[in-house]
Amino acid sequence: MKKFRKVLDGLTTSSPGGTMGSPSCGSAAGTPTAAPTPRDIDVQETLVSENFQLCKTVRHGFTYQPTALAFDPVQKILAIGSRSGGVRILGRPGVDCYCQHESGAAVLQLQFLINEGALVTACADDTLHLWNLRQRRPAVLHSLKFNRERITFCHLPFQSKWLYVGTERGNTHIVNIESFILSGYVIMWNKAIELSTKTHPGPVVHLSDSPKDEGKLLIGFEGGTIVQWDLRAKKADFRIYYDEAIHSVSWHHEGKQFMCSHSDGSLTLWNLRNTTKPFQVTFPHGKIQKDGRKESCKPILKVEYKTSRNSEPFVIFSGGLSYDKAGRRPALTIMHGKAITVLEMDYPIVEFMVLCDTPYINEIQEPYAVVVLLEKDLIVVDLTQSNFPVFENPYPMDIHESPVTCTAYFADCPPDIIPILYSIGAKHKKTGYSQKEWPIAGGTWTLGSHTYPEIIITGHADGSIKFWDASAFTLQMLYKLKTSKVFEKPKLGEGRGADLGEEDPFAVQMVSWCPHSRIFCVVGISAHIILYRFSKYDANTQTVSLEVRLQCEPEDIITPSENENNPCFSEPGSHSPQPHHQYPVSPGSRTPDGAKDSTPFLKVKDKTVRVPPGYQSDLVIQLLWVDGEPPQQITSLDINSAYGLLAFGNCNGLAVVDYIQKTVILCISTVDLYGATDPYQRLTRSPRRNRQSTSGLTELTDNQQSIDMERSKSPTSVKGPGRKLSLPTDLKTDLDHVNGHCTSPTSQPCSAGKPRIPMGPEGPRLTRRGPGRPPFRKAQSAACMEISLPVSHTEGHASRRAMLQQLHGVTMYSHDEHHSTASYCWNERESRENSFSRSRSSSVSSIDRDTKEAITTLQFGESYGRKSDALPTPCLWVGTSLGVVILIPLSIPMDHEERMEDPVTVGPSGAVQMLKGSVLRFAFLDCNGALIQSPYEIWRDQNAPEDPDRPRRRKLVHFSPSSSQDAFGEGHLTVVCSERQAKVFLMPSQSCLFVHNITESSFVLRADVVSLCNSVCLACFCANGHVMTLSLPSLRPLMDVNYLPLTDMRIARTFCFTNEGQALYLSSPTEIQRITYSQEMCDNLQEMLGELFTPIETPEAQNRGFLKGFFGGNAHTFDREELFGEAAAGKASRSLAQHIPGQGGVEGMKVAASGVVGDLARARIALDERGQRLGELEERTTLMMTSAETFSKHAHELMLKCKDKKWYQF
């Protein structure tokens, strides 16, 4: 039990480290506030540190920057290597495993130990690794680091424990897979070629053993030399010298021929009977020109020569297209007999592999599919059908179809939402796929017991939205929505799109979704909002468009009296609600010139269109241009289906829209939100500024006295002693990118878009410029925001903040621990800022610059707008970039008819609280510590047929703060989290109960109040990579793990928490990484993941027949141990390679790790296999004995029958 005192005679508690005075707590400011009668509240906080553990779970999407491919034909699992050192192993749907090399070196090649549950990886740092796949989370068993030579090619024969390794110097080394130690047997390049050869043959590009004789090794050198090396005699059988460079070699299964691909686009076929010249030379795509010469072709990077029992052989290769045909896409060519099929690909081909029925290279291969690894996709082609259709990919490989710009994660969704979305999305799936089952079907996977509905939503640069089913650690696309269909297609060279050069005007910036009411809201980069309703029926609809002017003019800064002409609220002393604005009212833009330019960026379709079932657009809200200046991008959004309201804000102000009546009820600048409770003393500009002057914060009480100077306060000139730079973390970046890297040395302040002129002695000057700069250049995908940030503790916070300032192109200030220290002087602040001035733009280099206070977070909910309120009412909680929390009461008609006709009214702003840093999140708890959900409307299909007996009415579900706490009376707790601090307030007294300084050296990027283990906690992700959880309501630290340093803005953009202890972020431009911070889920993770290895008996080799076995060589009598073992070959030089034992993991040690336990495990498996074979042998012996007895009996009967007969009687 956690017992705490809520209110103690006006005093408030604070964290041990929080010595600062906060005007949010009346006593801390020196004047006790009115408080209810003190009482004890017992809150049982069940969460403890043992409930938390952070670990990665699964990774979805396509492998970023793939480099290598491998396939196990018996286990039927596929491995993909990447440039960052990752290895992705795929099997049947649900079997998906990601491994990462600690070195991060690129994976050059992958080799499965076929049907052994192991994988060899060769990396760019010249290290070989042996991975154990007989555990759910693979681990490295051995590593071998080459010190003097670079690895270029590896080959592991089937059922062999000796790995051939080719190097850049042209040498071939041999590694024992079991011990991972080099053999003393080495094939030196100068021995492989003739002594008379004067040039180096080049790196080894191919190694393979002959299908006819395993004792013969074929070595291909890049320079065009091919050598067949006799491993027993240690000499070359033959050498081939060809003029063109070699890229790959492929054997015919009989071992009498092999095919090579070359750099000139040719294929050569060589016969072992005559190696002096190629048996056949073909240019598959090289046509003969008029002058008799062949077209020059691109290199054929790889060729595979596969035989089929019932048809002609398959020759499959990549590349080789003619140089003359410009703009031609990469292609895979399939030559089957005389037919040539060219399959054009959307992306360059990295690697391909032909899948065959048998793992034996000396048998007819019978190819049935081709796996093609592209730079940004993975496809599998069906070879068994003449038109070569593609298999439907069961993995989510198209997350990056358009760059991901935002993510949202919803756990424990309503159970009916996933089937409905799937049924709607299934109608729009592509057709023409192969009817056969997906061939990569290895491993085992079960649903598991700890599953619940989960949905991930991704927003993309082309304006599309994708809904994914993320239940049970899988990811399947449910439904795709295209927001661009709401607008007219921008014409090239016309309109504002041409002036701005905007390439992605529909890019999604943020989303808001209510799974219960199925209301979906999208914020776009062009300062637009689209509201969607879900329907199971198609309909003819016309989207309503609202235009909102939310723009502040520089005249507001110079002439403070203008704000008095159009107040948005009634007098602060009045408690009566202000009637709503029927039309959008822009603060400070009431000039005739501004009206001429009031146009949005995009044009909404104004005609009735037929929309299919699913999400159908209901309302579009667009911010207007003013005087040639673009609207600032939207930084916060919240929607409530029970209230029928939508609120959004940016760095100019706040707007509230009634989407039921399609009207704007509030449009106001941030400074006008405060009323009489403005915490800042906003001074007007004067020609001479006093740099030493400091202005304190006004008293934050419920006093409604009018302050005359309030109307002269500027929303852009915030002053206060010692405020650090801050910013709203939800703002969109605005910077030049080249290949995804930040190159812009400067950034513009987030203001009205006017250039700021430094003030001279004569005072401030403002100049109006022509058409403004582009508000958004090419849409910055969350996937491509890669920027290196320092991680040092001393300069990390300042440097990170400065870099984020550049990314956001915004100047913001926030409260910190110095805001109560009046002696903090300007000189000290300037010296501190100069410490990282090199990395900052000119727009944030001085505290004198004009700034905007942005709306960073919004939350509708039932709360108490005033201390004197007895019952909770609908309210809007507003958080700003200066750490200010404002509470706006709302008056909403509850009756169905009244709600459709009567206006929603907005009351004057109520409570104002203060935190350090930009406000990030709100949440509400009852006095028992349970989370209070926002009210919502039960979904109803507006396009469903009318039922006269049951009129269509709104059904609302409310969660009142007092509904579950009769024993404790009225009131609730409000949790507020900012970039630096978390606070818990008691409503309606507005007393601060708990304060916790989350971080001093960094700042919070994402924060959410989540449910876990039938309780709630506050989860935070900081810019320094720490993931933290705090108990509620006491804000006691429960977990603090240094998980992931912020190396690029992609993580900051896409990181999000959800219930049940889960979170996700975009780990690369093409992959989603899911993590858990729940101890229970970590404990059950093993059973929820798929098994990569399943015990399967290795298929027996085909009977070769007497003649083939007699004349086909002695491949089966070749003993590699006798040649490569230490007794025969000796030890390799210790300086050549270094053996590094791997960790292996606990499960790996039990099953396949090295050492005594591993040996015993392997011995046990071998004994089991031997016992099984002995059992089979015993059964066969019994059958043979029975057959022999039967034969003997019949022979004896025949003898008796013929015993007395003479020879002439037969």
Side-chain angles (χ1 to χ4, degrees), residues 281-302:
V281 179
T282 57
F283 287 83
H285 297 293
K287 297 180 180 179
I288 300 177
Q289 299 176 343
K290 295 180 179 179
D291 56 359
R293 294 184 302 174
K294 283 189 175 291
E295 291 180 321
S296 59
C297 297
K298 299 177 182 179
I300 296 180
L301 301 179
K302 183 178 180 180

Side-chain angles (χ1 to χ4, degrees), residues 357-400:
D357 285 334
T358 176
Y360 297 95
I361 62 173
N362 57 357
E363 296 180 356
I364 298 176
Q365 300 297 290
E366 292 291 347
Y368 59 89
V370 182
V371 180
V372 187
L373 179 64
L374 308 177
E375 279 190 0
K376 294 184 179 181
D377 202 0
L378 176 73
I379 64 172
V380 181
V381 181
D382 186 358
L383 292 180
T384 61
Q385 301 183 39
S386 58
N387 59 340
F388 303 125
V390 175
F391 288 92
E392 184 177 6
N393 199 327
Y395 314 123
M397 295 292 183
D398 56 346
I399 293 176
H400 61 286

Side-chain angles (χ1 to χ4, degrees), residues 338-349:
K338 295 182 179 180
I340 299 179
T341 304
V342 179
L343 304 178
E344 290 190 341
M345 305 295 169
D346 293 332
Y347 308 102
I349 298 175

Side-chain angles (χ1 to χ4, degrees), residues 679-683 692-698 717-721 723 815 819 822 826:
Y680 296 104
Q681 202 169 27
R682 304 173 193 263
L683 301 179
Q692 298 297 331
S693 65
T694 59
S695 35
L697 304 176
T698 59
S717 57
V718 180
K719 296 197 175 188
R723 299 189 185 99
H815 278 280
H819 77 275
W826 285 93

